[in-house]
Amino acid sequence: TGSSRPQRMLKAVQKNATKGDPQSVISAIDYYCRHKEWAMNVGDDKGLILDSVLTEVNPSTALELGTYCGYSTVRIARLLSPGSKLITVEFNPAFAEVAHQIIAYAGLQDKVTLVEGPSGDLIPKMKEQFGIKYFDFVFLDHWKDRYVPDTKLLEDCGLLKKGTVLLADNVICPGAPEYLKYVRNSPRYESRYYKSNLEYTKVEDGLEKSVFLG
Ligand SMILES: O=C(NC/C=C/[C@H]1OC[C@H](O)[C@@H]1O)c1cc([N+](=O)[O-])cc(O)c1O
Ligand SMILES: [Mg+2]
């Protein structure tokens, strides 16, 4: 059987990026996915919004739900201050295998803990297994129908503190309507929408930033 799309993406990184240079890994993936083969990375347009929110929050502990091939993992980890940590959760073992290699190629493996498994099972174990008190930043980019249950789970497990920032991808395309309703109607969040476009396309999409008010 042939290679998979994630494996072809990894080959493009190994061929075109410089080992230990996160920006070159990001550029190599964006070039490949824009000109050769689309893939569901947050991409360069929404990536700039992710970068700006991250720089503003400057999280000590960050969580990513939905690693896929590690593109946004690299985008986030490259901006973390020394000593800060990113935990990223991926359900699909084939995606996780490629992500490990892309994160290592970027030289960011010491800042990132990649955990394989269903987010719903892993979130309740975060405190005990990873010594996490709470997250300062959460990037939601996994199954869109898990955004609401996992946000509620993070609240119930005491993993959010006053000021924690949730940033959700794809709230327009493919869409996360229940999530938008939840964070926009809840008195516990202050939300705003960053209009952009679906990665590598002209279709509208955007990111929803929601600050937990405690
Ligand atoms: O399903 C999407 N993401 C959820 C990913 C789901 C997969 O990754 C987590 C889990 O292992 C699952 O196999 C998605 C889909 C599109 N899309 O245009 O279809 C665009 C995006 O940015 C997306 O994050
Ligand atoms: Mg996405």
Side-chain angles (χ1 to χ4, degrees):
T1 62
S3 65
S4 69
R5 183 178 319 208
Q7 285 168 328
R8 292 191 291 274
M9 202 187 304
L10 172 59
K11 287 268 174 301
V13 166
Q14 292 166 333
K15 180 164 175 281
N16 304 309
T18 306
K19 217 166 169 29
D21 174 355
Q23 191 53 55
S24 74
V25 169
I26 291 164
S27 303
I29 293 172
D30 284 332
Y31 185 88
Y32 182 78
C33 294
R34 188 174 285 282
H35 300 291
K36 306 278 191 260
E37 189 175 22
W38 186 91
M40 60 181 173
N41 315 118
V42 72
D44 39 5
D45 299 333
K46 288 184 288 179
L48 287 173
I49 300 166
L50 171 60
D51 289 358
S52 68
V53 172
L54 261 169
T55 307
E56 171 200 329
V57 178
N58 187 28
S60 303
T61 54
L63 173 67
E64 175 180 59
L65 301 174
T67 315
Y68 185 41
C69 295
Y71 172 90
S72 46
T73 319
V74 168
R75 282 204 87 110
I76 295 167
R78 86 191 201 285
L79 295 177
L80 293 180
S81 302
S84 297
K85 294 293 290 176
L86 169 62
I87 295 182
T88 184
V89 174
E90 178 50 56
F91 171 76
N92 181 313
F95 293 171
E97 176 50 36
V98 167
H100 268 298
Q101 296 177 74
I102 287 181
I103 293 159
Y105 198 88
L108 295 167
Q109 65 284 350
D110 295 346
K111 291 174 173 288
V112 176
T113 303
L114 171 48
V115 195
E116 273 183 57
S119 50
D121 297 354
L122 292 167
I123 288 170
K125 297 176 182 163
M126 287 288 162
K127 285 193 184 251
E128 62 180 302
Q129 267 194 352
F130 304 102
I132 299 287
K133 286 191 192 61
Y134 49 73
F135 291 109
D136 306 297
F137 178 82
V138 182
F139 183 53
L140 298 94
D141 193 20
H142 59 331
W143 280 314
K144 310 315 162 193
D145 60 5
R146 289 296 315 175
Y147 283 19
V148 173
D150 285 349
T151 298
K152 289 180 171 171
L153 205 46
L154 286 164
E155 291 168 16
D156 298 345
C157 295
L159 285 164
L160 306 183
K161 70 168 180 26
K162 189 171 164 33
T164 294
V165 170
L166 306 187
L167 190 64
D169 190 24
N170 311 116
V171 294
I172 302 301
C173 177
E178 301 79 18
Y179 179 76
L180 287 182
K181 270 203 299 281
Y182 180 70
V183 288
R184 291 175 177 176
N185 299 341
S186 165
R188 304 185 78 184
Y189 294 93
E190 182 60 46
S191 267
R192 68 160 281 189
Y193 173 62
Y194 291 80
K195 183 175 172 157
S196 184
N197 49 278
L198 181 68
E199 47 267 26
Y200 318 117
T201 76
K202 291 187 167 47
V203 175
E204 181 180 344
D205 187 23
L207 301 172
E208 185 82 357
K209 175 190 166 192
S210 306
V211 183
F212 186 62
L213 302 174

